[in-house]
Amino acid sequence: MANLFYAMTMPGLETLAFSEIRAKLSGAELVKFMRGVALFRSPMIYEDILDLRTTEDVFASLVHIKGLRRGPEGLRVLHSATLNADLEAALMSWRRTHHGARPRTWRVVSQMTGSYDFRRMDGGKAISDALRRSLPRGMRLVEDDADLEVWLWLGSGDVLIGVRLSDASMRHRTYKREHLPASLRPTVAAAMGWLSRPDEHDIVLDPLCGAGTILIERALLGPVEDAIGGDIRDEAVSLARRNARAADVDATWKVWDARTLPLSASSVTRIITNLPFGKQIGTKEENEQLYTTLIQEFDRVLAPKGLMVSLTSEDRLWDTILREHDWRIIKKVVFVVLGQPASIFVTERS
Ligand SMILES: C[S@@+](CC[C@H](N)C(=O)[O-])C[C@H]1O[C@@H](n2cnc3c(N)ncnc32)[C@H](O)[C@@H]1O
């Protein structure tokens, strides 16, 4: 049975995703981090590998090559490595995660982030040619909507070929039917929930909830005592309510201005929130004013030992404001969201 797997994550969230993997899949051991990838060993394949919330996609690894040649020699190596891979074991992992089904169609998907002297498609073709010979007879190669997807990832330095165990619902979720501009990727929202050190007694607040993704993901990670979200826009609150209902999550949603929250002092134990970035919503100048007012309100509603996890692309501004208001930054995770660098701050009061 194949015991090498890899998780694809948002670049920057690899270590965090692996901490969730280690907590949920007993015996999982890290092999290597690459950009946007955590390669790990697991003593067995668990069906709930698909329930990982901070991972975008998960694969049974077929081939891992370090330092692949850039030219045509590299293509020959891809071909022969695929021919020699333990396809049987990877197919078994696929069946385990697909209720015992047998794949009838297949295709190859290639991605290239490193620089090579051949095209991404040529890499894909080298693999397809090998798979045609080694996949079970009767399986049909198709262009789209294949049962079985073999992904080739040509990174800089490392190359991975794997059988995709997940499908798009792992990263998009089924509850998120409608989107708002600036709505957060569910895996990032889950990463923020994970960073908030989830506890069943948490009273979690997202004062700027948008489509509700953060609170929903937090509630799906584990029980909470209470979840409260609000936004200044009616439309956002209705959407959050609908998304929560679709996700079967219990939460209270309100239209409010986060600068004057209708909540008592020290009434929440966690604040998890995605601040307006100044690109899609608000301007930089407005943000400076807004962030300063918000931190005072967060200070008031958060219980003394409470934790705040906040996301912004205004890293410098938020960092300065936090320090000025005596917040201690326990951890900062930098990654790329909507094409720009963003930081998740994990903070508590000094
Ligand atoms: C970056 S978005 C949050 C996106 C959200 N995490 C999601 O996944 O949909 C910031 C949100 O803050 C809201 N907002 C801006 N100013 C606000 C204020 N003063 N009070 C409450 N909400 C506000 C916006 O309407 C927007 O939905």
Side-chain angles (χ1 to χ4, degrees):
M1 160 68 59
N3 64 359
L4 206 55
F5 301 90
Y6 58 94
M8 285 202 154
T9 71
M10 295 280 288
L13 297 185
E14 307 83 2
T15 48
L16 199 84
F18 183 68
S19 74
E20 187 195 6
I21 290 167
R22 203 178 34 207
K24 294 194 174 163
L25 309 181
S26 82
E29 277 174 34
L30 180 71
V31 174
K32 188 175 180 179
F33 286 128
M34 298 157 226
R35 189 165 163 71
V37 174
L39 180 67
F40 63 96
R41 221 177 279 290
S42 175
M44 59 180 286
I45 169 82
Y46 304 89
E47 257 175 55
D48 51 7
I49 200 167
L50 300 184
D51 296 335
L52 293 169
R53 306 208 68 87
T54 59
T55 288
E56 299 260 314
D57 265 302
V58 70
F59 299 81
S61 175
L62 283 174
V63 171
H64 175 205
I65 305 168
K66 286 173 226 166
L68 182 76
R69 296 262 177 89
R70 287 174 190 281
E73 175 61 18
L75 292 175
R76 282 193 284 277
V77 172
L78 286 177
H79 181 82
S80 63
T82 309
L83 269 184
N84 293 322
D86 189 355
L87 198 54
E88 192 69 26
L91 286 176
M92 202 117 91
S93 296
W94 188 92
R95 295 191 61 199
R96 279 271 173 89
T97 48
H98 289 78
H99 312 290
R102 282 186 192 279
R104 285 178 304 190
T105 54
W106 65 281
R107 71 173 186 141
V108 170
V109 174
S110 2
Q111 296 172 309
M112 189 186 270
T113 56
S115 68
Y116 293 86
D117 295 337
F118 52 82
R119 295 172 311 163
R120 174 168 67 89
M121 285 97 80
D122 299 329
K125 184 169 179 312
I127 289 179
S128 296
D129 289 346
L131 288 172
R132 247 191 220 110
R133 292 166 58 180
S134 50
L135 277 170
R137 276 161 180 263
M139 277 188 71
R140 206 159 37 85
L141 176 64
V142 292
E143 298 260 318
D144 289 306
D145 286 333
D147 295 336
L148 186 88
E149 290 188 351
V150 178
W151 284 34
L152 161 67
W153 179 77
L154 294 150
S156 44
D158 291 88
V159 171
L160 289 166
I161 303 171
V163 166
R164 189 188 192 198
L165 302 178
S166 47
D167 61 25
S169 65
M170 185 172 202
R171 58 185 127 113
H172 294 313
R173 319 295 205 229
T174 42
Y175 68 80
K176 231 178 154 176
R177 292 170 188 167
E178 295 157 275
H179 283 271
L180 279 178
S183 186
L184 203 55
R185 264 183 111 85
T187 53
V188 176
M192 295 175 73
W194 193 251
L195 283 165
S196 77
R197 301 182 197 151
D199 181 285
E200 59 184 326
H201 302 298
D202 285 344
I203 301 170
V204 190
L205 166 70
D206 182 353
L208 306 125
C209 73
T213 326
I214 291 179
L215 283 185
I216 294 171
E217 288 298 326
R218 167 59 191 87
L220 293 175
L221 278 177
V224 292
E225 195 160 306
D226 212 352
I228 313 155
D231 199 283
I232 204 156
R233 291 179 296 155
D234 276 351
E235 179 209 0
V237 174
S238 320
L239 193 51
R241 207 171 269 137
R242 282 206 292 277
N243 281 336
R245 208 171 297 135
D248 206 14
V249 159
D250 255 342
T252 308
W253 306 100
K254 290 193 172 137
V255 177
W256 64 32
D257 185 337
R259 291 169 291 190
T260 49
L261 291 166
L263 300 171
S264 323
S266 306
S267 57
V268 304
T269 64
R270 298 282 187 277
I271 296 175
I272 316 179
T273 200
N274 172 197
L275 298 164
F277 276 19
K279 271 262 166 84
Q280 296 198 2
I281 294 170
T283 65
K284 263 198 176 310
E285 294 70 32
E286 280 166 12
N287 277 346
E288 188 163 352
Q289 185 66 48
L290 176 67
Y291 283 19
T292 308
T293 314
L294 287 177
I295 195 66
Q296 293 169 51
E297 193 59 350
F298 296 170
D299 215 354
R300 185 183 71 78
V301 298
L302 188 65
K305 290 212 164 103
L307 204 64
M308 175 165 77
V309 179
S310 48
L311 166 66
T312 180
S313 66
E314 302 265 25
D315 182 303
R316 287 249 191 102
L317 174 65
W318 192 227
D319 195 301
T320 310
I321 291 176
L322 285 168
R323 287 173 206 279
E324 277 172 6
H325 290 81
D326 286 333
W327 287 72
R328 196 168 73 82
I329 299 168
I330 304 168
K331 190 174 183 147
K332 201 194 273 193
V333 179
V334 181
F335 68 105
V336 176
V337 66
L338 301 170
Q340 55 180 327
S343 306
I344 302 174
F345 290 78
V346 183
T347 49
E348 63 185 6
R349 251 75 122 273
S350 300

